[in-house]
Amino acid sequence: MSRTEQHYPREADARWRDYEWEIIPTSPMHPAMNIALDEVLTRRVGAGERRPTLRFWGWDSPVIVIGRFQSVRNEVQIENAAEHGVQVVRRITGGGAMFTLPGLDITYSIYAPPDLVKGLSFPESYAFLDSWVVDTYRELSIDAWYAPLNDITSSGGKIGGAAQARRFGAVLHHTMTSYDMDPKLMMQVLRIGMEKLSDKGLRSADKRVGPLRQQTNLPREAFFHALTERFMDLTGGELGEISNLEHQAAVELVRSKFATEEWTYLLP
Amino acid sequence: MHGEYKTPGGKLVVVDFDVHDGTIVDPMVSGDFFLYPEESLDQIVGSLVGLSVDTSEEQITQVVANAVPDGTELLGFSPEAIAIAVRRGLA
């Protein structure tokens, strides 16, 4: 694989310490709750009602998460997904579809004031906000780097992708990385056309992906531990949790928006 | 009609639409691109409505570019990418 690395001004690293960070560990949740929490926590940070936050995600069921601008029928083999109990949810950020099963991904969101990425171009901000993750993977002997615009990749294939939204007075940056995968099921539930792969020089989509499990003997928990430690070192942040109020707001958003056909099929 | 175009090194743009009386109707622009603010998509999609099927790629590019509100950020795609997808859908 040719190595095109995306960079950002390293002096930006000092900015992480300009804020008091909170780190929320993962717990399995309904797919639509995860998406709803992104909106709730972005709004809360934007309104100054919560400290800048890193949240790790957990899923309680198989899921396809599609980007804000993706069409369901162009991305998902809907009947196959239903047959395999794979839910489809639409997130509030752009970017591409991701498929995962519970316990196979490492996904996190960063909710931050816009000043954290002030003066950085959009591509620079992507590389900056995931730099501590790439550093952690390298520390764990994964040959990883940040590829433009929004991918974490490695000599063993693509590990994950990031997406941002700049809304509600805050920056939302989330990244879904693959610890392990079921490539056969992925090819059954996602629709990945040849045009999408046209500049990749590879014949099949599953060969592009290189989950961490293929490159290491470390258990998934070791990655959460290392990522949490590194983020704490970087920011001086401490562990926190989702408040009852935030949880309730997310439940309400699931009901009114994220679990509705209207939202999921916004682009049919 | 259905046309796709992937900007090299960038993102996929898909345009789905119908043709009625030689013009584009009910267009939908989708893909794995990034767009800030997201509401700009409505203006982009709206600019394709009623275009003649004879409109050239260059003309479509211009129409879409004119419809993109000031201050909009298109990441990984462009008005030209949308125009190419439309022309592919018509081909």
Side-chain angles (χ1 to χ4, degrees):
Chain A
M1 161 176 303
S2 67
R3 188 165 182 144
T4 308
E5 200 152 347
Q6 190 165 298
H7 297 283
Y8 66 97
R10 289 307 289 216
E11 59 268 24
D13 283 342
R15 297 181 190 178
W16 290 103
R17 291 213 164 243
D18 290 346
Y19 308 92
E20 285 182 34
W21 288 84
E22 194 169 299
I23 299 143
I24 301 177
T26 186
S27 64
M29 275 187 221
H30 186 278
M33 264 302 274
N34 268 320
I35 306 297
L37 275 171
D38 258 6
E39 177 164 336
V40 169
L41 299 181
T42 305
R43 285 180 185 275
R44 294 269 293 168
V45 170
E49 295 163 350
R50 140 175 293 286
R51 294 184 285 176
T53 299
L54 167 71
R55 174 175 73 101
F56 289 104
W57 299 30
W59 308 100
D60 69 3
S61 46
V63 65
I64 292 170
V65 186
I66 61 171
R68 166 66 178 77
F69 304 111
Q70 289 189 301
S71 140
V72 179
R73 64 167 180 256
N74 286 342
E75 300 301 324
V76 181
Q77 306 198 48
I78 298 170
E79 283 180 13
N80 290 353
E83 189 184 318
H84 290 282
V86 181
Q87 297 194 43
V88 179
V89 291
R90 181 184 299 278
R91 60 175 188 261
I92 60 174
T93 57
M98 297 286 280
F99 162 66
T100 192
L101 302 172
L104 295 194
D105 66 310
I106 296 171
T107 301
Y108 49 88
S109 293
I110 292 169
Y111 314 92
D115 274 2
L116 181 66
V117 293
K118 196 177 178 183
L120 303 182
S121 68
F122 278 93
E124 285 172 346
S125 73
Y126 275 85
F128 167 65
L129 291 170
D130 280 334
S131 58
W132 58 283
V133 179
V134 172
D135 290 344
T136 307
Y137 288 167
R138 285 181 182 165
E139 196 177 79
L140 298 175
S141 299
I142 309 283
D143 180 28
W145 66 92
Y146 211 77
L149 165 75
N150 59 321
D151 285 346
I152 297 178
T153 191
S154 73
S155 47
K158 176 174 167 172
I159 298 172
Q164 285 181 19
R166 312 250 173 138
R167 303 203 69 186
F168 316 127
V171 177
L172 162 65
H173 178 96
H174 54 205
T175 304
M176 191 161 166
T177 74
S178 182
Y179 175 72
D180 206 347
M181 66 182 300
D182 183 338
K184 213 171 137 193
L185 186 52
M186 182 180 87
M187 297 310 285
Q188 284 175 43
V189 298
L190 288 183
R191 209 183 282 286
I192 301 168
M194 294 313 291
E195 180 65 12
K196 167 94 181 150
L197 302 171
S198 59
D199 65 346
K200 302 291 185 191
L202 288 169
R203 288 216 323 276
S204 68
D206 57 343
K207 290 197 181 68
R208 294 177 58 210
V209 186
L212 297 169
R213 189 73 188 85
Q214 283 175 9
Q215 308 183 50
T216 180
N217 291 320
L218 290 171
R220 180 166 166 264
E221 290 66 33
F223 283 91
F224 283 113
H225 181 74
L227 288 166
T228 303
E229 289 283 304
R230 188 160 198 113
F231 194 78
M232 283 178 163
D233 283 350
L234 180 69
T235 64
E238 54 189 39
L239 292 178
E241 57 187 20
I242 294 159
S243 71
N244 286 338
L245 186 150
E246 288 163 344
H247 187 87
Q248 282 311 311
V251 168
E252 173 54 25
L253 264 183
V254 167
R255 192 195 62 76
S256 64
K257 181 175 176 181
F258 291 108
T260 65
E261 298 263 306
E262 190 187 0
W263 171 257
T264 306
Y265 288 85
L266 190 63
L267 289 94
Chain B
M1 310 289 142
H2 176 92
E4 301 186 356
Y5 177 68
K6 185 172 191 302
T7 305
K11 300 297 164 190
L12 180 73
V13 174
V14 184
V15 184
D16 293 277
F17 55 95
D18 290 326
V19 171
H20 189 70
D21 286 343
T23 64
I24 290 173
V25 294
D26 293 335
M28 177 173 81
V29 176
S30 65
D32 62 351
F33 50 79
F34 294 90
L35 179 66
Y36 312 102
E38 67 194 42
E39 289 78 11
S40 301
L41 189 67
D42 295 341
Q43 277 94 331
I44 291 171
V45 172
S47 73
L48 302 176
V49 175
L51 283 183
S52 160
V53 296
D54 298 325
T55 314
S56 72
E57 185 186 307
E58 291 73 20
Q59 287 167 325
I60 299 171
T61 301
Q62 202 53 56
V63 165
V64 173
N66 290 341
V68 175
D70 285 347
T72 301
E73 288 267 358
L74 286 74
L75 283 188
F77 76 126
S78 62
E80 188 188 14
I82 295 170
I84 294 170
V86 171
R87 287 308 322 172
R88 286 184 174 183
L90 288 165

